Amino acid sequence: SRLEESVKKTVNDNAVVVYSKTWCSYSSEVKSLFKRLGVEPLVIELDELGPQGPQLQKVLERITGQHTVPNVFIGGKHIGGCTDTVKLYRKGELDPLLVEANAK
Amino acid sequence: SRLEESVKKTVNDNAVVVYSKTWCSYSSEVKSLFKRLGVEPLVIELDELGPQGPQLQKVLERITGQHTVPNVFIGGKHIGGCTDTVKLYRKGELDPLLVEANAK
Ligand SMILES: N[C@@H](CCC(=O)N[C@@H](CS)C(=O)NCC(=O)O)C(=O)O
Ligand SMILES: N[C@@H](CCC(=O)N[C@@H](CS)C(=O)NCC(=O)O)C(=O)O
Ligand code: FES
């Protein structure tokens, strides 16, 4: 679908993309992790898009199998949510992904 | 108001009360902390009460100044959210509150 193509384009054209909700603490946590790492992700707040928000979430679920927020992509690759991103960071595996995606 | 009285009665009659939302990870985190401590809080899922959910949240905001979830009470005392509860736990100050409230 058109929306699916636009999501794929967004995640491929930006080094780091975070689909988020403004009032969700897990979304805030992953946004502040990137900030601390000096990375400026493209942040899309799904609760600020009106009816497109739930539609985008459905597309994300179709593409990634994940219906929850935050939904993180690095270098066009689906990473997962907050716990997935933090786990990679703790294992030292987030940095290489960020460098490879030219985010740092 | 009647709803305010009922919230005050609920938090005074139960050792530990958690006002939560089923899909919120911070709410889940605080619920699982209590579980690990062998405590069975009274959990009230605000997103499962229909129109009463937002009304209860307004009352909780009036009583505690806190509009967010999770909203935790121990022994009738307002503790705060997830980060507040976890901080007390890390400092060893949660246990004495739970013992005093007969939750353990
Ligand atoms: N482990 C996941 C948890 C994600 C999660 O459960 N997100 C919640 C908000 S904190 C959500 O999107 N809930 C909506 C739902 O469950 O339908 C992560 O770290 O991102
Ligand atoms: N530090 C607080 C954060 C609470 C918080 O921001 N909760 C969010 C959900 S995770 C909420 O209720 N958001 C609704 C809002 O901000 O209006 C805690 O640990 O409980
Ligand atoms: S909505 Fe509470 S952590 Fe996401």
Side-chain angles (χ1 to χ4, degrees):
Chain A
S1 75
R2 242 159 30 80
L3 203 52
E4 207 161 311
E5 290 317 312
S6 100
V7 169
K8 286 183 178 154
K9 184 167 161 46
T10 302
V11 298
N12 285 318
D13 288 356
N14 294 279
V16 182
V17 181
V18 176
Y19 291 91
S20 165
K21 286 186 181 163
T22 55
W23 37 261
C24 164
S25 300
Y26 260 38
S27 297
S28 310
E29 273 193 23
V30 85
K31 286 184 281 188
S32 61
L33 171 61
F34 284 127
K35 208 168 160 178
R36 286 200 309 277
L37 297 175
V39 170
E40 284 185 17
L42 173 68
V43 175
I44 296 166
E45 301 289 1
L46 293 171
D47 59 317
E48 295 188 330
L49 301 174
Q52 249 214 337
Q55 284 169 2
L56 264 177
Q57 263 196 291
K58 278 208 188 64
V59 167
L60 286 166
E61 181 162 19
R62 253 206 321 276
I63 297 175
T64 67
Q66 181 185 323
H67 72 279
T68 56
V69 287
N71 204 335
V72 179
F73 293 79
I74 299 177
K77 222 178 99 192
H78 180 236
I79 300 296
C82 174
T83 44
D84 306 301
T85 309
V86 169
K87 247 183 227 146
L88 286 173
Y89 171 64
R90 294 222 174 107
K91 293 193 299 194
E93 294 173 16
L94 192 63
D95 242 49
L97 288 173
L98 292 170
V99 170
E100 189 186 317
N102 282 329
K104 291 189 82 169
Chain B
S1 76
R2 241 159 31 80
L3 203 52
E4 209 162 308
E5 290 316 312
S6 100
V7 169
K8 286 183 177 157
K9 183 168 164 47
T10 302
V11 298
N12 285 318
D13 289 356
N14 294 279
V16 182
V17 180
V18 177
Y19 290 91
S20 163
K21 285 186 182 163
T22 55
W23 37 260
C24 164
S25 300
Y26 261 37
S27 298
S28 310
E29 273 193 23
V30 87
K31 286 184 280 189
S32 61
L33 171 62
F34 284 127
K35 206 169 163 174
R36 284 201 310 277
L37 298 175
V39 170
E40 284 185 17
L42 173 69
V43 175
I44 296 165
E45 300 289 1
L46 294 171
D47 59 316
E48 295 189 328
L49 301 173
Q52 250 214 338
Q55 286 169 359
L56 264 176
Q57 263 197 291
K58 279 207 188 64
V59 168
L60 286 166
E61 182 162 16
R62 258 208 315 277
I63 297 175
T64 67
Q66 180 185 325
H67 70 279
T68 55
V69 287
N71 204 335
V72 179
F73 294 79
I74 299 177
K77 218 179 103 190
H78 179 237
I79 300 296
C82 175
T83 44
D84 307 301
T85 309
V86 169
K87 250 184 224 145
L88 286 174
Y89 170 64
R90 294 222 174 105
K91 295 192 299 192
E93 295 173 16
L94 192 63
D95 242 52
L97 289 172
L98 292 170
V99 170
E100 190 186 316
N102 282 329
K104 291 189 80 168

